[in-house]
Amino acid sequence: LLGDRIAILGHGELKCCGTSLFLKGLYGVGYNLTIVKTIEGTEDLKSEMDSEKVKRRLSYASRDIKKLVKIHVPKARVLSD
């Protein structure tokens, strides 16, 4: 007899159970990577978040981080920046 349910166990306990369609809808597909960007040396500028210098440095950091992730995960996409 074949079953159509999948059970997920964690540390010896049942965490979730359902059909593959249910679990895909609940957990999605793939992974989410969250990166929080800070720039060393801008502590004195944090009160001035409109500072062009801070914006420019964060923009460069974002670009470099995206390039690095794409090298290792070519199908990666940015959900928000």
Side-chain angles (χ1 to χ4, degrees):
L1 184 62
L2 295 175
D4 65 348
R5 304 250 178 222
I6 299 168
I8 298 174
L9 300 172
H11 300 290
E13 295 180 10
L14 180 64
K15 299 295 182 180
C16 188
C17 185
T19 64
S20 60
L21 185 61
F22 170 78
L23 295 173
K24 183 177 179 182
L26 184 64
Y27 294 107
V29 177
Y31 299 91
N32 286 324
L33 173 66
T34 302
I35 299 173
V36 178
K37 300 174 285 189
T38 60
I39 305 290
E40 290 181 16
T42 60
E43 292 80 10
D44 56 331
L45 298 174
K46 285 185 181 175
S47 62
E48 304 172 28
M49 286 312 288
D50 292 331
S51 166
E52 287 303 313
K53 184 177 181 181
V54 172
K55 286 181 182 179
R56 192 169 44 253
R57 289 180 73 182
L58 286 173
S59 174
Y60 293 148
S62 291
R63 183 196 64 210
D64 293 343
I65 291 167
K66 289 174 197 173
K67 283 182 183 178
L68 178 65
V69 171
K70 285 283 195 177
I71 289 169
H72 297 283
V73 187
K75 292 184 180 181
R77 58 191 174 99
V78 176
L79 299 179
S80 67
D81 191 3

